[in-house]
Amino acid sequence: MYFYTKRFKDNLNFIEYGLRQISDSITLPPAGLEKRERAREILGIVKTRFPSIHTFSQRFFDTCRKSFLTLLK
């Protein structure tokens, strides 16, 4: 579980980019928040805007051509 949590937090900027590409009406958390709080808010957005994590994952991949948990260099 730690691995996925860390990867999610490390990819916050990429996930926010993907969410903006999927829908410009999504209100993202302010950049000044610490990573943990931003991650919670983004998870809240995913939970309320998409029927399931699989739907989000598929739409994210279709839009960005990468998984939201991919290793970014």
Side-chain angles (χ1 to χ4, degrees):
M1 195 67 162
Y2 173 79
F3 169 80
Y4 294 108
T5 303
K6 182 176 179 345
R7 181 67 60 89
F8 188 85
K9 285 195 252 182
D10 289 345
N11 289 356
L12 283 177
N13 289 332
F14 181 56
I15 295 168
E16 288 177 346
Y17 166 79
L19 285 170
R20 274 190 237 104
Q21 297 302 312
I22 291 170
S23 173
D24 58 353
S25 66
I26 293 176
T27 304
L28 297 172
L33 294 177
E34 68 178 65
K35 273 188 175 185
R36 183 180 180 137
E37 211 40 54
R38 278 178 54 213
R40 281 186 183 174
E41 290 197 24
I42 289 173
L43 284 173
I45 291 168
V46 169
K47 186 177 176 183
T48 58
R49 298 286 300 238
F50 299 92
S52 73
I53 189 67
H54 303 292
T55 305
F56 166 70
S57 180
Q58 186 62 51
R59 288 195 55 201
F60 191 94
F61 184 83
D62 291 344
T63 302
C64 298
R65 293 320 222 180
K66 290 185 179 181
S67 165
F68 68 96
L69 290 178
T70 195
L71 177 62
L72 299 175
K73 295 182 180 186

